[in-house]
Amino acid sequence: MTTESRSSHQCCWLGSPSRYQTWLQLVWVLLVGMSLGTWAQQGTQPQSIKIEGDITLGGLFPVHSRGPAGVPCGEVKREKGIHRLEAMLYALDQINSDPDLLPNITLGARILDTCSRDTYALEQSLTFVQALIQKDNSDVRCSNGEPPIIPKPERVVGVIGASGSSVSIMVANVLRLFSIPQISYASTAPELSDNSRYEFFSRVVPPDSYQAQAMVDIVKAMGWNYVSTLASEGNYGESGVDAFLQISREAGGLCIAQSIKIPREPRPGEFEKIIKRLMETSNARGVIIFANEDDIKRVLQTAKKANLTGHFLFVGSDSWGAKNSPIQDLEDVAEGAVTILPKRASIDGFDQYFTSRSLENNRRNIWFAEFWEDDFKCKLTRPGIKYELGRRKCTGEERISQNSQYEQEGKVQFVIDAVYAMAHALHSMHIDLCPGYMGVCEKMDPVEGRMLLQYIRSVNFNGSAGTGVMFNENGDAPGRYDIFQYQLSNVSNPGYRLIGQWTNHLRLNSEEMQWSGGDRKIPESVCSFPCESGERKKMVKGVPCCWHCELCDGYQYLLDEFSCDMCPFDMRPLENRTGCRPTPIIKLEWSSPWAIIPVFLAILGILATSGVIITFIRFNDTPIVRASGRELSYVLLTGIFLIYLITFLMIAEPSTAVCAFRRLLLGLGMSISYSAMLTKTNRIYRIFEQGKKSVTPPKFISPTSQLIITFILISVQVLAVFIWFGVMPPHTIIDYEEQKPPNPEFARGVLKCDMSDLSLILCLSYSIVLMITCTVYAIKSRGVPETFNEAKPIGFTMYTTCIVWLAFVPIFFVCCLSSHICFLLYSQDILPPLY
């Protein structure tokens, strides 16, 4: 072969270049250039597993972890790598041995390692599309001048994988260009549901939008309203948190204290800063975490180092799930963590298959030897490989079934379901395109990718765990999740415990939940605690879950949780201020000291007055009684009797009749007394004044005349009272302002007659006029002869009465005014309360 044939080993274009040739070639040049450059640095072509078959499926698995800087791959990954890869091999074995599924058709595979790195996975995935790249080999000739015989390249019809969402996104962008369907067993980023960008992507696990909805439901079911979020940088973490934030905003009642992103390459001290930021809002104990295993582990380590064990309450996504690796040696920090995982089941057939694998019977898995060394901590003799000192040599007699470290990883189920979904789609396609044909017919050689995608989206079968496998129009599987809690205390078998399920709605068994120290009560993660009874919420601006509590004071009650309102004037708030209650009604009771003393004095006065009246009646015709002016004396004694009698009306329970008699008798008793006194003093004054001028007696000094004058004076008071009755009929009122102190517990309504302080004085004003007039005549009569001894006692009586009245009226009004001023000051909180 000539030098021109050196590239004859390269694959050629088999597909038609008419539609995409120009721009696909451009993409190919860019990708291949990058890929070849990387492979040249490594000095070798990428390793892969090749399983021969009539139809070849691609496989992408993170067999190794991400390597340090400059190295693409790191340590072998058991659960996410080897276990899942073996699950695909197991599924292929099962399908190829099933006479009812793809009969006489053998499924093969080309399985690659992504090394948990999206860029490396992109380079690896180019292997799947090489068969679709048509190259011009017209200038290639063998040494004899004949065109070279180029073997038919391997064609991958569909890809199983990848694991990480960022890897799947990178690979999907390439596979879409070549119409290769892809079914992922673990990628859950909501971004991949965009059918316009990732139309050839499907997955047997639900997207994180379902997971985020489930996590929002869990948080709300636990009564939390203030949480923080942690996300690993990348599609999985960021899109998961974004979905959680969006759903929580739409649902309402949930606030985010901190939303923190963990850098892809965290610098030293980065996790200490993250824990410090979380503690800035320490009330937000709940932490929603969408992160990879390494980031989860470092968060837990840093929290433990900061002595915050038991403070944070983690709600982990399916990347945490029910795995032990992220919490190894950190169980006390992870205690109480609630995690979510797509509904899964252990596959007994796979357990038997995997535990029977050995170095002798599993040579098709080129990474199995590396897994064997890592799992059994031994070394195999291989050229060019250096081993750590102290490792024993592998005997080959080790058995996985004897290794207690093996535990079936939950997503093994989804790998098997993904392979079976592809097989069922190919089976349906074969029935339609190759009816009755044994093997692959011409219509399926090659398999048209867009048509296969339609069959994939139409599959509906019971998967390996007995649950239905199907896809919606976006290629997403239905949301079915198990909810776990990591429990450490007071259980016979510490570990993850199933506490609920989510299938479009949450079913959470809160009685099965257990927290740090074995506590059964769900801890709180709230910005503000509920207000006490009678306190309103004053919201913090911009944070609907945070508030300050303010007491409804004075006569206010809690109208709703955000506002207080004044009780009606005749009511006072309940003790817990959740409503109003009627203000108690009081009146002056006969048993009150304020009633007993006046009643006692009134009785003494009535007895004394009655005694004088009886004495006057008994000695009515004696000279001394006649000389005292017995007619006016009887009138005077009647007025005095009424004055004492009004005491009982003032204490009696107010009613319309009692109020009417109060109006009538309050001023009547005094007007009778002062009318009699005025008539008597006027008579004395006129007699002595007339005697100075002539011996003719003055007019109207007879007893009859005196009585008429007295009754005329009295009738003025009676007339005024009856006019008052007509203008304002007597009635009772309840005064709620008289005894309304700042403390509503001491508020009382006073039942009394509708007589204001001013009307009381006006009622007595006529008596005051009579009293002043009487006093004037008493002063004028002070010069009467000493033998006429009646004038001086009358004068003394009127002087003292004037003094008492002159003192009473100002004091009465000043006290009333002061009481109103004090109440105003108390109501405005200017003066401290008395109670």
Side-chain angles (χ1 to χ4, degrees):
M1 184 178 294
T2 64
T3 56
E4 294 178 345
S5 65
R6 285 180 295 178
S7 60
S8 62
H9 63 280
Q10 297 179 355
C11 300
C12 65
W13 282 86
L14 294 179
S16 172
S18 59
R19 294 176 59 189
Y20 306 116
Q21 184 170 3
T22 302
W23 57 276
L24 282 183
Q25 286 178 345
L26 177 61
V27 172
W28 173 253
V29 169
L30 293 175
L31 294 179
V32 171
M34 177 182 66
S35 177
L36 292 178
T38 305
W39 294 345
Q41 292 176 3
Q42 296 175 359
T44 180
Q45 293 291 331
Q47 289 185 319
S48 64
I49 295 176
K50 170 62 178 174
I51 307 294
E52 296 295 337
D54 301 319
I55 298 176
T56 302
L57 302 181
L60 290 172
F61 296 92
V63 179
H64 293 86
S65 62
R66 179 183 302 181
V71 180
C73 301
E75 297 178 349
V76 69
K77 298 179 74 171
R78 291 199 295 263
E79 293 179 351
K80 284 191 173 183
I82 295 297
H83 290 180
R84 290 177 175 175
L85 186 154
E86 288 290 344
M88 181 172 179
L89 297 177
Y90 166 79
L92 291 175
D93 292 344
Q94 296 296 309
I95 294 169
N96 290 334
S97 62
D98 188 344
D100 298 323
L101 185 61
L102 291 175
N104 296 314
I105 296 178
T106 302
L107 285 183
R110 171 72 70 177
I111 302 175
L112 304 174
D113 179 13
T114 66
C115 290
S116 306
R117 190 186 296 270
D118 50 5
T119 53
Y120 185 79
L122 178 62
E123 298 169 4
Q124 296 284 70
S125 65
L126 296 178
T127 304
F128 300 145
V129 300
Q130 288 183 26
L132 301 178
I133 305 297
Q134 183 177 5
K135 304 193 70 175
D136 184 8
N137 295 314
S138 59
D139 59 339
V140 180
R141 292 289 185 273
C142 294
S143 57
N144 60 3
E146 296 293 328
I149 301 174
I150 301 176
K152 184 178 180 181
E154 176 186 62
R155 185 184 180 97
V156 173
V157 301
V159 174
I160 305 300
S163 175
S165 294
S166 59
V167 175
S168 288
I169 288 173
M170 189 76 77
V171 173
N173 284 319
V174 174
L175 298 182
R176 173 176 176 264
L177 300 177
F178 298 92
S179 300
I180 299 178
Q182 173 186 3
I183 302 179
S184 173
Y185 48 81
S187 299
T188 57
E191 182 181 350
L192 289 165
S193 297
D194 187 350
N195 202 39
S196 63
R197 296 174 58 193
Y198 307 102
E199 58 181 317
F200 284 87
F201 179 85
S202 304
R203 48 187 163 188
V204 292
V205 290
D208 285 336
S209 54
Y210 295 162
Q211 183 176 195
Q213 179 65 66
M215 296 173 80
V216 169
D217 292 346
I218 292 170
V219 169
K220 301 192 79 170
M222 292 192 294
W224 298 352
N225 65 8
Y226 197 51
V227 296
S228 296
T229 63
L230 268 178
S232 291
E233 184 179 4
N235 294 97
Y236 172 78
E238 294 180 52
S239 59
V241 164
D242 289 343
F244 181 88
L245 296 178
Q246 180 179 352
I247 294 172
S248 64
R249 281 193 297 266
E250 293 172 354
L254 186 59
C255 298
I256 307 302
Q258 303 273 0
S259 189
I260 304 173
K261 182 166 63 176
I262 302 172
R264 194 185 302 270
E265 302 291 342
R267 292 173 294 181
E270 190 71 41
F271 286 90
E272 285 76 8
K273 293 179 181 178
I274 290 172
I275 295 298
K276 186 176 180 181
R277 280 191 60 187
L278 290 175
M279 288 304 296
E280 290 176 0
T281 50
S282 57
N283 277 3
R285 296 180 62 190
V287 179
I288 313 303
I289 183 165
F290 280 84
N292 58 54
E293 294 181 36
D294 294 336
D295 288 344
I296 293 170
K297 191 175 187 70
R298 294 188 66 179
V299 167
L300 297 178
Q301 288 174 339
T302 309
K304 185 173 184 176
K305 184 178 178 181
N307 294 323
L308 293 173
T309 300
H311 176 79
F312 294 115
L313 311 169
F314 295 100
V315 178
S317 63
D318 61 347
S319 62
W320 185 333
K323 297 175 188 154
N324 291 318
S325 54
I327 63 172
Q328 189 173 0
D329 300 326
L330 299 165
E331 290 83 357
D332 51 346
V333 188
E335 183 178 10
V338 177
T339 60
I340 189 171
L341 196 61
K343 197 168 185 63
R344 63 179 189 171
S346 295
I347 312 301
D348 294 337
F350 178 76
D351 278 341
Q352 298 172 5
Y353 162 82
F354 188 73
T355 54
S356 65
R357 297 298 88 189
S358 67
L359 293 172
E360 291 77 15
N361 63 16
N362 199 24
R363 295 183 181 276
R364 63 181 177 179
N365 185 346
I366 62 175
W367 297 289
F368 193 74
E370 187 179 354
F371 159 77
W372 194 273
E373 291 176 327
D374 182 76
D375 202 43
F376 291 102
K377 302 295 184 292
C378 62
K379 61 181 180 178
L380 293 169
T381 304
R382 285 185 292 169
I385 304 296
K386 295 182 179 180
Y387 300 93
E388 58 186 80
L389 296 176
R391 274 203 174 191
R392 65 180 179 86
K393 185 177 180 180
C394 297
T395 64
E397 301 297 327
E398 298 89 355
R399 290 294 178 266
I400 297 176
S401 59
Q402 299 170 351
N403 191 346
S404 59
Q405 291 184 1
Y406 169 70
E407 179 182 356
Q408 185 181 136
E409 200 269 327
K411 290 183 180 176
V412 160
Q413 162 198 341
F414 301 115
V415 175
I416 297 173
D417 288 345
V419 177
Y420 265 88
M422 193 73 76
H424 277 281
L426 289 169
H427 182 78
S428 299
M429 188 178 188
H430 183 267
I431 292 175
D432 292 343
L433 299 183
C434 310
Y437 191 86
M438 305 299 289
V440 179
C441 66
E442 292 184 359
K443 292 183 179 180
M444 288 185 63
D445 188 15
V447 173
E448 205 279 312
R450 190 169 295 275
M451 182 182 298
L452 177 60
L453 175 65
Q454 296 175 357
Y455 283 100
I456 290 174
R457 296 290 170 86
S458 301
V459 299
N460 190 342
F461 64 96
N462 287 331
S464 56
T467 56
V469 177
M470 64 192 74
F471 304 98
N472 63 13
E473 65 277 6
N474 295 322
D476 295 329
R480 291 187 291 259
Y481 295 97
D482 286 329
I483 301 166
F484 297 89
Q485 185 183 39
Y486 187 78
Q487 298 180 359
L488 189 62
S489 305
N490 299 329
V491 290
S492 58
N493 185 23
Y496 294 98
R497 183 169 184 176
L498 183 67
I499 59 170
Q501 296 177 341
W502 190 93
T503 307
N504 296 325
H505 66 276
L506 177 67
R507 294 192 301 273
L508 186 67
N509 189 356
S510 58
E511 296 178 356
E512 297 292 331
M513 302 183 78
Q514 183 174 276
W515 306 90
S516 179
D519 190 6
R520 294 283 181 178
K521 182 181 179 182
I522 298 177
E524 293 178 320
S525 181
V526 295
C527 180
S528 301
F529 293 99
C531 292
E532 298 291 336
S533 179
E535 293 181 339
R536 74 179 184 92
K537 293 180 181 178
K538 185 178 181 181
M539 305 305 297
V540 176
K541 188 175 181 180
V543 189
C545 299
C546 300
W547 59 81
H548 302 296
C549 295
E550 291 186 350
L551 180 67
C552 296
D553 56 359
Y555 288 80
Q556 295 179 330
Y557 73 98
L558 191 64
L559 179 63
D560 53 50
E561 62 177 331
F562 302 107
S563 59
C564 302
D565 197 12
M566 291 293 295
C567 285
F569 74 96
D570 59 343
M571 305 184 80
R572 60 177 179 167
L574 296 169
E575 290 186 9
N576 58 11
R577 295 187 179 270
T578 57
C580 295
R581 52 181 169 165
T583 301
I585 308 301
I586 62 169
K587 57 182 176 54
L588 186 60
E589 302 291 341
W590 293 100
S591 59
S592 171
W594 299 103
I596 293 175
I597 296 175
V599 166
F600 176 73
L601 295 177
I603 292 174
L604 291 179
I606 289 173
L607 291 176
T609 303
S610 299
V612 173
I613 292 174
I614 292 171
T615 301
F616 266 62
I617 292 174
R618 182 177 180 183
F619 300 100
N620 187 57
D621 294 327
T622 60
I624 189 171
V625 173
R626 294 175 66 183
S628 66
R630 59 185 178 184
E631 294 79 8
L632 290 180
S633 295
Y634 283 124
V635 174
L636 179 60
L637 289 170
T638 301
I640 294 172
F641 186 87
L642 290 177
I643 290 173
Y644 286 120
L645 187 63
I646 193 67
T647 301
F648 296 93
L649 288 174
M650 299 300 290
I651 297 174
E653 181 177 349
S655 65
T656 302
V658 169
C659 292
F661 278 108
R662 282 187 187 181
R663 286 191 189 182
L664 180 62
L665 299 181
L666 183 60
L668 184 60
M670 290 187 179
S671 63
I672 290 174
S673 299
Y674 291 134
S675 294
M677 296 285 287
L678 176 59
T679 302
K680 184 174 286 193
T681 54
N682 176 266
R683 176 176 172 268
I684 295 172
Y685 173 75
R686 287 190 297 114
I687 290 174
F688 285 100
E689 283 297 316
Q690 185 69 21
K692 293 178 183 180
K693 299 176 183 179
S694 66
V695 296
T696 305
K699 297 179 180 180
F700 309 116
I701 60 172
S702 64
T704 302
S705 300
Q706 295 294 296
L707 288 175
I708 292 172
I709 294 171
T710 300
F711 286 125
I712 291 173
L713 293 174
I714 293 171
S715 64
V716 174
Q717 174 71 27
V718 175
L719 180 61
V721 171
F722 278 99
I723 293 174
W724 188 10
F725 283 166
V727 174
M728 186 180 296
H731 61 280
T732 59
I733 62 168
I734 301 176
D735 188 351
Y736 292 97
E737 299 296 331
E738 182 175 330
Q739 293 195 30
K740 195 171 185 179
N743 189 342
E745 289 302 310
F746 297 97
R748 299 292 184 271
V750 181
L751 177 65
K752 60 183 181 179
C753 293
D754 187 20
M755 290 178 62
S756 65
D757 299 332
L758 181 60
S759 64
L760 178 64
I761 296 300
L762 291 176
C763 180
L764 299 175
S765 60
Y766 180 64
S767 299
I768 295 174
V769 172
L770 293 176
M771 177 199 66
I772 294 173
T773 306
C774 185
T775 303
V776 171
Y777 277 108
I779 293 172
K780 289 183 176 182
S781 301
R782 68 183 183 281
V784 299
E786 294 182 4
T787 55
F788 194 84
N789 57 5
E790 187 177 22
K792 290 183 178 179
I794 291 175
F796 178 77
T797 300
M798 298 316 299
Y799 302 153
T800 55
T801 302
C802 280
I803 292 172
V804 171
W805 271 97
L806 289 174
F808 167 74
V809 173
I811 291 174
F812 180 82
F813 278 104
V814 168
C815 287
C816 292
L817 180 62
S818 299
S819 65
H820 287 294
I821 293 175
C822 288
F823 177 75
L824 179 62
L825 295 177
Y826 288 136
S827 65
Q828 299 297 324
D829 292 333
I830 298 175
L831 290 179
L834 297 174
Y835 301 92

